[in-house]
């Protein structure tokens, strides 16, 4: 079987194959299996993040339902946007975050907490599962579970076949991604690192429950810190797509024989849409440090499997 079949032959595919071969073959660049750790950002790296991140779509549905139950909520953002179905305010908050302006982030964070406060982890997982079983990507019209980028799924599978542990390190919610990480990516729930809320033990319910705040926002400098605290190892491979991944990529690139990879969304025909917003510094850093930059336009022969239920068909 052709390795990385959804990748076009070229510099990027060749560099990835050489890296895997070199670090898994005894010799100068050999890396012991226990040290073969590969970390991946999620939104925009493993699946689309435009027009809004997947988790934000889920949260909009929760806020819409909450506003329907309590109409006074609809007077305030983000409930106003959720009730109207207009994601413009939410998108503007995310764009401002990518540009370094987090002045409205506390408002958003409080609303996120409100969707699960005092609920137990099992109950929230059921709601997340229901969302993934019923919701479609607003532009692609595909179930979210079928929106993973096929080239990245193939890269994950290749790395695992050569003894790598594959880990997701996302700025999104850890517990949100854990629900589908194994099904969509082949990544076990315990191998997902991400932003996390306060948690506590409820003895009466014999359950772990969500609290009033965010324990950690897994973005920027926090990513390598969380990776180290969870794994106790420096990754030798990291892949991201935004400014929030710079430190994680630097951490992996500094490892002996390490590799950093940046996904560039530059395809105006197939992407959703092509964009550099939120990746300007990462693109500049990749050029400066010599990281491998993947062009969605030039390097990916297809983005997704099509039709959804038949992996033998391709979409270009």
């Amino acid at each position: 079987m052709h390795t990385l079949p959804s990748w076009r032959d070229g510099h990027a595919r060749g560099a990835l194959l050489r890296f895997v071969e070199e670090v898994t073959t005894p010799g100068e660049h050999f890396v012991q299996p226990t040290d073969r750790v590969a970390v991946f950002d999620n939104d925009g790296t493993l699946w689309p993040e435009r027009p809004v991140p997947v988790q934000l779509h889920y949260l909009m549905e929760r806020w819409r339902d909450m506003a329907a139950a309590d109409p006074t909520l609809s007077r305030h953002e983000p409930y106003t946007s959720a009730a109207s179905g207009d994601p413009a305010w939410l998108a503007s908050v995310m764009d401002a975050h990518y540009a370094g302006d987090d002045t409205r982030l506390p408002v958003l964070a409080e609303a996120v907490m409100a969707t699960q406060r005092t609920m137990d982890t099992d109950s929230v997982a059921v709601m997340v599962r229901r969302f993934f079983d019923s919701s479609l990507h607003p532009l692609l019209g595909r179930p979210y579970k079928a929106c993973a980028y096929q080239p990245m799924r193939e890269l994950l599978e290749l790395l695992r076949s050569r003894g790598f542990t594959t880990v997701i390190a996302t700025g999104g919610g850890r517990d949100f991604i854990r629900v589908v990480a194994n099904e969509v990516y082949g990544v076990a729930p315990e191998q997902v690192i991400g932003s996390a809320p306060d948690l506590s033990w409820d003895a009466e319910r014999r359950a772990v429950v969500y609290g009033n705040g965010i324990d950690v926002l897994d973005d920027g400098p926090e990513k390598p810190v969380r990776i180290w605290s969870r794994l106790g190892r420096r990754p030798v491979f990291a892949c991201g797509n935004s400014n929030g991944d710079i430190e994680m990529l630097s951490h992996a690139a500094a490892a002996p024989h390490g590799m950093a990879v940046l996904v560039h969304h530059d395809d105006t025909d197939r992407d959703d849409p092509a964009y550099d917003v939120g990746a300007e510094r990462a693109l500049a850093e990749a050029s400066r440090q010599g990281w491998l930059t993947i062009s969605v336009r030039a390097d990916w022969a297809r983005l997704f499997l099509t039709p959804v239920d038949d992996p033998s068909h391709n979409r270009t």
Side-chain angles (χ1 to χ4, degrees):
M1 180 179 177
H2 186 56
T3 306
L4 301 181
S6 296
W7 295 72
R8 293 193 174 101
D9 287 332
H11 172 70
R13 181 176 178 274
L16 290 168
L17 293 176
R18 283 193 301 275
F19 166 79
V20 172
E21 188 65 26
E22 287 176 354
V23 300
T24 60
T25 302
E28 180 183 357
H29 298 280
F30 182 72
V31 174
Q32 293 293 336
T34 53
D35 293 325
R36 294 178 200 165
V37 175
V39 295
F40 290 77
D41 170 57
N42 186 57
D43 292 320
T45 300
L46 295 179
W47 68 16
E49 63 180 349
R50 299 296 174 115
V52 294
V54 178
Q55 188 173 4
L56 199 51
H57 184 177
Y58 162 76
L59 290 167
M60 285 185 68
E61 293 193 0
R62 289 283 293 126
W63 292 325
R64 181 199 62 202
D65 293 343
M66 293 168 68
D70 181 2
T72 62
L73 289 174
S74 62
R75 302 171 189 167
H76 312 284
E77 293 290 6
Y79 303 96
T80 303
S81 294
S84 67
D86 182 0
W89 183 86
L90 294 162
S92 70
V93 174
M94 298 309 298
D95 285 342
H97 167 67
Y98 294 139
D101 176 10
D102 287 337
T103 54
R104 290 177 292 174
L105 210 55
V107 174
L108 189 59
E110 166 54 30
V112 171
M113 291 300 99
T115 65
Q116 59 192 26
R117 185 177 288 122
T118 75
M119 296 182 65
D120 66 81
T121 54
D122 291 339
S123 297
V124 171
V126 168
M127 292 194 303
V128 173
R129 170 60 65 179
R130 188 178 301 125
F131 167 81
F132 276 112
D133 286 343
S134 62
S135 298
L136 303 178
H137 188 282
L139 297 181
L140 300 171
R142 302 169 63 87
Y144 277 119
K145 290 185 292 186
C147 284
Y149 292 129
Q150 182 61 17
M152 300 307 284
R153 285 168 50 92
E154 293 168 4
L155 180 56
L156 286 163
E157 291 167 4
L158 171 63
L159 290 167
R160 286 192 291 265
S161 74
R162 301 300 291 267
F164 276 82
T165 298
T166 54
V167 176
I168 293 174
T170 176
R174 174 198 63 199
D175 296 351
F176 180 78
I177 302 302
R178 279 177 169 174
V179 173
V180 293
N182 190 50
E183 179 180 358
V184 175
Y185 303 125
V187 175
E190 62 269 23
Q191 292 170 342
V192 176
I193 302 168
S195 298
D198 290 335
L199 295 167
S200 62
W201 170 248
D202 186 312
E204 184 176 349
R205 285 189 279 175
R206 294 186 294 179
V208 176
V209 300
Y210 292 99
N212 293 314
I214 296 177
D215 179 45
V216 62
L217 181 61
D218 190 43
D219 199 38
E222 193 64 35
K223 280 200 173 186
V225 173
R226 296 293 290 178
I227 291 167
W228 175 258
S229 65
R230 283 285 303 277
L231 304 179
R233 297 183 186 278
R234 180 194 292 265
V236 296
F237 181 95
C239 184
N241 79 300
S242 73
N243 296 338
D245 299 317
I246 291 173
E247 290 82 2
M248 178 180 76
L249 297 173
S250 297
H251 192 49
H257 318 304
M259 185 178 204
V261 178
L262 186 73
V263 176
H264 183 203
H265 289 274
D266 60 350
D267 192 323
T268 57
D269 296 322
R270 300 178 303 170
D271 222 343
D272 39 58
Y275 59 94
D276 286 352
V277 174
E280 304 91 340
R281 290 191 295 108
L283 288 165
E285 196 68 14
S287 177
R288 188 181 73 83
Q289 295 203 36
W291 299 341
L292 177 65
T293 298
I294 294 170
S295 164
V296 172
R297 175 183 53 80
D299 293 321
W300 288 357
R302 60 177 176 179
L303 271 63
F304 311 105
L305 289 176
T306 299
V308 172
D309 58 352
D310 186 355
S312 67
H313 290 72
N314 299 346
R315 168 186 173 177
T316 58

